[in-house]
Amino acid sequence: MSTPITDPAQLPPAFEKAMNSGDLNAVLSLLAPGAVMRTVTGESVTGQALRDYTAGSIAGNAQLSNGPSRVVAGDDIAFITEEWTMEVTTPDGNRKKATGTTANVARRGQDGGWRMAVLNPLGTA
């Protein structure tokens, strides 16, 4: 990410664009240091495991579609929810589709840019 995202509502479309373009570094640039993600299987991943999980989605030609976002922001933290659909090809060659409602937390960094700190595609499920 060359220019920091200055509005947390811009994160979901930026994430969608980076994922759909297959650009792992662009996706990872949208994550705060120490970011954690709850995967669609319920496992929590961070660090190298989060990188590997994201790389696996990209390798499966993941195509993400986000609905309208709802953002509540204050000072340096924001809560973001949205409907999403993702299609990905699994290692066995089958195309799978998943849907859900996110419950994500973004954090503003020292550079003034917003990044995802907690990614929870399963929301409250």
Side-chain angles (χ1 to χ4, degrees):
M1 177 172 63
S2 57
T3 303
I5 290 179
T6 58
D7 177 353
Q10 296 172 343
L11 278 170
F15 191 90
E16 177 181 329
K17 179 179 178 183
M19 180 66 71
N20 292 346
S21 71
D23 188 339
L24 178 61
N25 290 328
V27 174
L28 296 176
S29 76
L30 298 170
L31 305 181
V36 62
M37 178 181 189
R38 179 178 175 215
T39 69
V40 294
T41 62
E43 174 187 11
S44 290
V45 292
T46 191
Q48 186 63 45
L50 176 54
R51 180 183 181 85
D52 293 346
Y53 184 83
T54 304
S57 295
I58 288 171
N61 190 31
Q63 291 299 297
L64 175 63
S65 176
N66 289 326
S69 299
R70 293 160 300 283
V71 179
V72 178
D75 290 335
D76 296 333
I77 196 161
F79 181 67
I80 304 169
T81 61
E82 69 197 335
E83 308 299 316
W84 61 270
T85 300
M86 181 181 271
E87 290 188 36
V88 64
T89 302
T90 60
D92 62 8
N94 291 317
R95 194 80 176 151
K96 301 277 180 156
K97 182 177 182 179
T99 62
T101 303
T102 65
N104 297 332
V105 176
R107 175 170 67 215
R108 185 178 5 225
Q110 292 181 346
D111 65 354
W114 288 89
R115 292 173 184 82
M116 294 292 196
V118 178
L119 297 100
N120 183 10
L122 300 178
T124 59

